[in-house]
Amino acid sequence: MPLVCQSCGALNRDNARYCLRCAQPLAIERPSSDDHAWLASQLLAVPASPHLTTSTAPQHSAPPREPASSSTPVSASPMHCNEEHAMDAPSAASGTPALFAGRYEIVATSDTVVEALDRQPWRRCWSCNTTTNEPGEAYCTQCGAALDGRRYRGLLTKGDPVGLALIPHITDAATLAFLPSIWDQVSDGDQTLTLTPATPSTPLTLPLGELEALFIGRDLARLAALLHDQGFALGAIEPDDLEITPAHATRLRDVRGLHRAEGDDAAADLLHLATLLEALTATPRTTRRLDEADITIDTVPAIADVLREIRTGNVTDPAELAQRFDLIIVYHTAPTPLRVRFGAATDTGRVRDLNEDGLLAFDLRLIRRNQPRAWSLFIVADGMGGHSAGEVASDLALRGALEIVQREYLAPTVDADAQDKEETLRDVVQRAILQANEYVVREARNRGNDMGTTMTLALIAGDRAIIGNVGDSRTYLLREGKLRRVSRDHSLVQRLVDLGQITPDEVYTHPQRNAVLRSLGDKLNVDVDVFVERLRPGDRLLLASDGMWEMVRDERMEQIIAANPDPQDACQALIDAANAAGGDDNITVILACFESY
């Protein structure tokens, strides 16, 4: 029994779920209590005679039914489910466009790339893939999707299949996951039309970050390896051919160079991939081989190094290339857990009446599914501006930075068990110091004074230390007994050293050694230096205000730390040494020691 659409009045097939004309859901009517009562009365009124026929039965009419309410008037001539409006055969005289394989109208061409309009979209719904629709139905009767006007992009080929036309010849599911989806492939004479769904996509914003490019390179190297195992070669890929799925996987929108493999196509595919990644990351092309002297234990592997290995012929196998990319991705996204012990101390010194320095130090440890993870945050802020200014500035800066790290990194990372990506850590450190600056600038304007503060900050995730710095408070790395400064001072004396006008030793005695060229609170837009260090068991990070490092030289600080294995004892010994040397300024120090789990 046909179903009547209560919205537009069209008649639909009895198995339809949505109206063929207006796509409204179809309600399957069921008899009401009045219907049952009316039927019972009619049955009682009819004599129970075996000789009664339809022609002699008394005629009764059903009780009137209220029309369904609708904002759309009921059509005077409803469309019936068996009405067909299939296109007539193409006719040059009538101006009807020629259809490829009797179905697709080619509406645009560029070389062999075409755009086609489906003139028989009822054959298969683009949304739910049902094939039960009939000619003339404008909407899918199973999902309600509009059927008319569907356009597809594809390839028109003649002879041996290449590019998109080869995809239907590939049956491996892992390979197909990287390749464009094929909507249809039809032949007409000696030509074949291969079409892909017209899915919206957002172009990549170039240049890409290193980590994003590494994921793309790894995925395409895996694809090349899979294709070679099946006798195919990937060929050249352009940036516009790429898309990143919502699951952050790489998928190709086009494969113009896909062909059956012959000769040394594996090495050629890697060269094509190197060209693509250079374009994605704006990496200059180099072919110099690395010497052993170029590589040290602290060398951070980079995508440029792998591309160089491809171009010099050191890497020719796609599977090996995928493994190399995987190792670099792990380096940047899976820090090795380290246990941290730390000490922290601050002192007014022997000259100042007020301690305007501030510090923050905490360690967070998590063991989930027997896997340890650890994060630490260390901050030293040296306030400036005198009473009711410097100590306020350093306190505001600590609170502003901590808020960003907690809210925008630690909480969501722990909640989602997300990876500690180096790029994300760098961004968090940058934003933490920028918010610290915003807090100080806003309060300085409210109070009408020139309060400010320096800041050196270390965010630790496993064996990754991300250091941010503004001003002349310092972060050092102590490794194998040698203290090395990580941060860079934003001070007048450092500028004079850079210009060669004074020596590094003269920094400690120069009359302008306290002049800071960059600090928090000066202006809303402040440049933040960010540094990355990969920690090892036995390493120590030292954060110190200028009241510490100006009073005690680096060599002496090395000796004090070496003589005090406990980090809290070392901090107190450092402060004692600074006071013994004069204590000209407030003194603040944090020492963090890293060990294996």
Side-chain angles (χ1 to χ4, degrees):
M1 176 179 176
L3 298 177
V4 179
C5 176
Q6 299 300 311
S7 179
C8 70
L11 294 182
N12 292 268
R13 287 177 282 116
D14 59 0
N15 65 342
R17 298 169 59 197
Y18 293 84
C19 178
L20 58 86
R21 175 183 290 177
C22 69
Q24 291 298 312
L26 296 173
I28 301 176
E29 295 189 6
R30 302 187 183 279
S32 66
S33 57
D34 289 339
D35 293 330
H36 287 295
W38 173 82
L39 179 60
S41 66
Q42 301 309 307
L43 292 175
L44 290 174
V46 176
S49 170
H51 305 291
L52 186 63
T53 63
T54 303
S55 60
T56 61
Q59 301 297 312
H60 299 276
S61 59
R65 301 286 300 275
E66 290 294 327
S69 60
S70 173
S71 58
T72 306
V74 177
S75 171
S77 55
M79 181 183 294
H80 291 272
C81 62
N82 61 351
E83 290 180 350
E84 296 191 3
H85 298 282
M87 288 185 58
D88 295 330
S91 168
S94 64
T96 303
L99 300 183
F100 191 94
R103 178 172 178 180
Y104 295 102
E105 178 187 349
I106 307 298
V107 295
T109 61
S110 175
D111 230 353
T112 56
V113 178
V114 301
E115 185 177 346
L117 178 64
D118 190 355
R119 288 299 186 181
Q120 295 179 353
W122 48 269
R123 290 189 178 276
R124 176 158 64 103
C125 173
W126 62 270
S127 178
C128 70
N129 282 322
T130 186
T131 57
T132 61
N133 294 306
E134 295 183 357
E137 294 179 337
Y139 294 90
C140 177
T141 59
Q142 298 304 305
C143 71
L147 298 176
D148 289 339
R150 300 302 304 177
R151 290 174 179 252
Y152 300 92
R153 182 176 174 274
L155 184 69
L156 193 61
T157 55
K158 182 185 294 187
D160 293 335
V162 294
L164 292 173
L166 264 181
I167 295 179
H169 297 258
I170 298 172
T171 58
D172 177 61
T175 308
L176 292 173
F178 293 108
L179 299 175
S181 298
I182 300 301
W183 163 256
D184 200 3
Q185 186 176 65
V186 292
S187 296
D188 195 333
D190 61 350
Q191 291 186 306
T192 299
L193 179 64
T194 308
L195 299 175
T196 60
T199 54
S201 62
T202 303
L204 298 177
T205 301
L206 303 182
L208 299 180
E210 171 121 339
L211 187 60
E212 190 174 6
L214 284 167
F215 278 112
I216 291 174
R218 188 269 313 274
D219 289 347
L220 293 182
R222 288 178 177 173
L223 172 59
L226 290 168
L227 287 170
H228 295 162
D229 289 343
Q230 300 166 72
F232 300 98
L234 181 58
I237 298 292
E238 299 294 330
D240 289 343
D241 297 334
L242 294 169
E243 67 176 349
I244 306 300
T245 69
H248 304 290
T250 305
R251 185 155 194 166
L252 294 174
R253 299 175 61 241
D254 202 348
V255 282
R256 313 169 206 205
L258 182 63
H259 61 279
R260 294 196 180 275
E262 54 185 31
D264 193 14
D265 275 327
D269 272 354
L270 294 198
L271 289 173
H272 289 312
L273 181 52
T275 300
L276 171 67
L277 293 174
E278 288 163 353
L280 292 176
T281 58
T283 300
R285 181 179 300 183
T286 59
T287 54
R288 181 179 68 89
R289 290 181 182 269
L290 288 178
D291 297 325
E292 289 186 5
D294 295 328
I295 304 174
T296 68
I297 192 169
D298 295 317
T299 300
V300 177
I303 196 169
D305 301 323
V306 180
L307 299 184
R308 185 186 301 112
E309 295 290 282
I310 294 172
R311 294 212 172 273
T312 56
N314 285 356
V315 179
T316 58
D317 177 46
E320 179 189 349
L321 178 61
Q323 290 177 350
R324 290 209 179 192
F325 282 136
D326 255 333
L327 289 174
I328 303 177
I329 290 170
V330 168
Y331 178 94
H332 288 288
T333 62
T336 302
L338 292 178
R339 190 189 306 276
V340 63
R341 296 182 300 116
F342 66 87
T346 185
D347 191 83
T348 305
R350 294 191 171 181
V351 175
R352 303 293 177 90
D353 295 326
L354 177 70
N355 190 348
E356 298 178 85
D357 285 1
L359 70 83
L360 184 149
F362 78 81
D363 175 37
L364 175 64
R365 303 179 191 183
L366 172 70
I367 297 179
R368 177 181 284 165
R369 293 184 291 275
N370 206 34
Q371 295 297 316
R373 297 183 69 180
W375 303 269
S376 304
L377 179 64
F378 305 116
I379 309 176
V380 166
D382 180 359
M384 302 174 289
H387 183 68
S388 298
E391 80 277 15
V392 174
S394 59
D395 179 65
L396 286 171
L398 295 177
R399 288 158 50 192
L402 174 62
E403 182 179 281
I404 289 292
V405 173
Q406 284 183 317
R407 185 186 67 224
E408 300 190 18
Y409 187 73
L410 290 178
T413 299
V414 171
D415 183 58
D417 199 19
Q419 291 179 317
D420 293 306
K421 296 182 179 178
E422 187 176 297
E423 288 182 342
T424 305
L425 290 164
R426 292 175 64 99
D427 181 61
V428 168
V429 167
Q430 176 98 7
R431 287 187 288 117
I433 296 180
L434 289 177
Q435 176 159 296
N437 178 63
E438 182 183 335
Y439 279 19
V440 178
V441 169
R442 186 170 58 201
E443 187 64 18
R445 290 177 178 176
N446 289 339
R447 297 191 179 206
N449 63 27
D450 59 352
M451 69 171 62
T453 183
T454 68
M455 177 173 281
T456 191
L457 177 155
L459 176 59
I460 317 296
D463 64 349
R464 306 304 154 83
I466 312 298
I467 293 104
N469 191 74
V470 174
D472 63 352
S473 293
R474 292 181 176 179
T475 294
Y476 293 86
L477 174 65
L478 180 66
R479 175 171 290 166
E480 297 176 352
K482 183 65 177 175
L483 197 63
R484 170 173 62 86
R485 180 162 32 125
V486 176
S487 60
R488 183 176 182 80
D489 295 345
H490 304 133
S491 62
L492 175 60
V493 288
Q494 181 62 53
R495 181 63 175 154
L496 294 176
V497 170
D498 294 340
L499 294 173
Q501 296 183 10
I502 64 174
T503 66
D505 279 345
E506 290 176 312
V507 166
Y508 298 94
T509 57
H510 196 279
Q512 297 297 322
R513 62 183 179 276
N514 293 321
V516 177
L517 300 181
R518 192 188 305 175
S519 64
L520 305 185
D522 183 35
K523 56 185 179 179
L524 276 176
N525 297 321
V526 63
D527 293 329
V528 180
D529 290 348
V530 179
F531 310 89
V532 179
E533 293 288 340
R534 187 171 190 180
L535 302 171
R536 303 182 211 160
D539 284 351
R540 301 186 182 194
L541 278 181
L542 174 68
L543 286 73
S545 63
D546 62 344
M548 178 70 247
W549 62 263
E550 282 186 4
M551 294 292 100
V552 183
R553 302 293 179 94
D554 292 359
E555 296 82 1
R556 178 60 183 145
M557 288 195 290
E558 287 177 6
Q559 296 169 1
I560 293 172
I561 295 172
N564 293 273
D566 180 78
Q568 188 61 49
D569 292 344
C571 288
Q572 190 58 54
L574 287 167
I575 285 182
D576 291 344
N579 277 323
D584 291 346
D585 200 351
N586 304 147
I587 312 161
T588 301
V589 61
I590 299 173
L591 181 65
C593 307
F594 299 93
E595 306 165 350
S596 298
Y597 267 89

